[in-house]
Amino acid sequence: ELKVEQNPLFLSMQEGKNYTIYCNYSTTSDRLYWYRQDPGKSLESLFVLLSNGAVKQEGRLMASLDTKARLSTLHITAAVHDLSATYFCAVATKYNNNDMRFGAGTRLTVKP
Amino acid sequence: GAGVSQSPSNKVTEKGKDVELRCDPISGHTALYWYRQRLGQGLEFLIYFQGNSAPDKSGLPSDRFSAERTGESVSTLTIQRTQQEDSAVYLCASSLAGIDRVSYNEQFFGPGTRLTVL
């Protein structure tokens, strides 16, 4: 059974600081997704990572994928308050592209 | 363009009543998913529809939960004899389900239905 673990689950950081959120998964996969969820809102797609070594960047967020280690990271550079949200990673199983499992989410709070 | 829509946005019901939640996927998306999100928690997979194939119901928590989809359009999630533990946000997502590596099946989410069972 595919399991997805994120850490930390809660993250409070100062504006201007850097931090990394980790997403580990338990079985072979070749696609990983990062989503953002603002309070009371639905999920917004951030990144889709399709291959080992994939790196994608959007603004202050950068996501990477290491399929051998079964690990993805979401790196936050020089955080700003607007990044406060919950971030989810989701992993699709290799042999059933539509079987996707989500991590528990990382609730990020960026303080001035 | 139109995204995934869900209705109602909020539903308050009494324990023991039945509820129906509706999802309108993005036009042309053949795959449709239902998830449950309890307060402060991650997403829990419930059910998945792909075209005319038999749905994957492996995530439904009990036989009180059922879902239908007409062709590649609207889906309804029905919860019978609701219990307080059913209180959650129910999210629907749709995707262009592909069978090859080119289409990466990104899911687009609706705004959710917040269900409160008193």
Side-chain angles (χ1 to χ4, degrees):
Chain A
E1 181 188 350
L2 174 59
K3 293 187 179 179
V4 182
E5 290 187 357
Q6 279 182 245
N7 71 85
L9 298 182
F10 297 92
L11 176 57
S12 178
M13 53 192 298
Q14 296 291 128
E15 279 193 329
K17 298 291 187 182
N18 304 333
Y19 209 84
T20 301
I21 299 170
Y22 297 88
C23 175
N24 291 88
Y25 53 97
S26 60
T27 65
T28 303
S29 172
D30 60 357
R31 56 200 63 197
L32 187 139
Y33 306 79
W34 283 97
Y35 287 87
R36 168 182 172 144
Q37 186 178 38
D38 290 291
K41 303 291 178 100
S42 192
L43 277 74
E44 172 193 353
S45 178
L46 293 175
F47 301 108
V48 181
L49 301 168
L50 298 177
S51 61
N52 187 41
V55 176
K56 290 196 174 178
Q57 183 161 6
E58 179 76 30
R60 301 173 187 274
L61 300 178
M62 183 173 71
S64 66
L65 178 63
D66 180 342
T67 57
K68 294 180 181 177
R70 297 178 184 170
L71 170 69
S72 178
T73 60
L74 181 66
H75 187 73
I76 303 155
T77 302
V80 293
H81 179 68
D82 285 352
L83 290 179
S84 297
T86 299
Y87 293 85
F88 291 94
C89 67
V91 180
T93 59
K94 186 175 177 67
Y95 301 106
N96 183 349
N97 293 333
N98 292 300
D99 184 1
M100 199 154 84
R101 295 292 182 263
F102 282 76
T106 296
R107 187 175 300 178
L108 172 65
T109 303
V110 181
K111 299 180 177 179
Chain B
V4 178
S5 61
Q6 291 185 244
S7 62
S9 55
N10 280 286
K11 177 71 177 178
V12 180
T13 190
E14 293 180 348
K15 179 181 171 182
K17 296 284 177 92
D18 298 352
V19 295
E20 262 191 16
L21 312 181
R22 177 187 168 111
C23 172
D24 284 87
I26 293 172
S27 177
H29 279 193
T30 57
L32 186 146
Y33 311 75
W34 283 100
Y35 295 90
R36 178 169 70 180
Q37 186 178 28
R38 291 195 165 111
L39 185 65
Q41 311 256 326
L43 273 69
E44 178 185 357
F45 167 76
L46 296 178
I47 188 168
Y48 155 66
F49 295 90
Q50 166 53 36
N52 294 319
S53 302
D56 176 355
K57 303 180 181 180
S58 59
L60 294 178
S62 78
D63 59 8
R64 297 187 295 105
F65 287 72
S66 62
E68 291 185 351
R69 187 183 186 193
T70 307
E72 295 183 352
S73 60
V74 172
S75 175
T76 55
L77 176 69
T78 302
I79 309 173
Q80 296 178 308
R81 304 181 302 282
T82 52
Q83 305 292 313
Q84 288 183 332
E85 69 252 27
D86 299 335
S87 296
V89 174
Y90 290 82
L91 290 164
C92 174
S94 70
S95 74
L96 277 169
I99 57 173
D100 54 36
R101 292 173 60 84
V102 174
S103 59
Y104 45 76
N105 307 337
E106 182 181 0
Q107 295 184 20
F108 295 85
F109 283 82
T113 294
R114 183 177 300 276
L115 175 65
T116 304
V117 182
L118 302 176

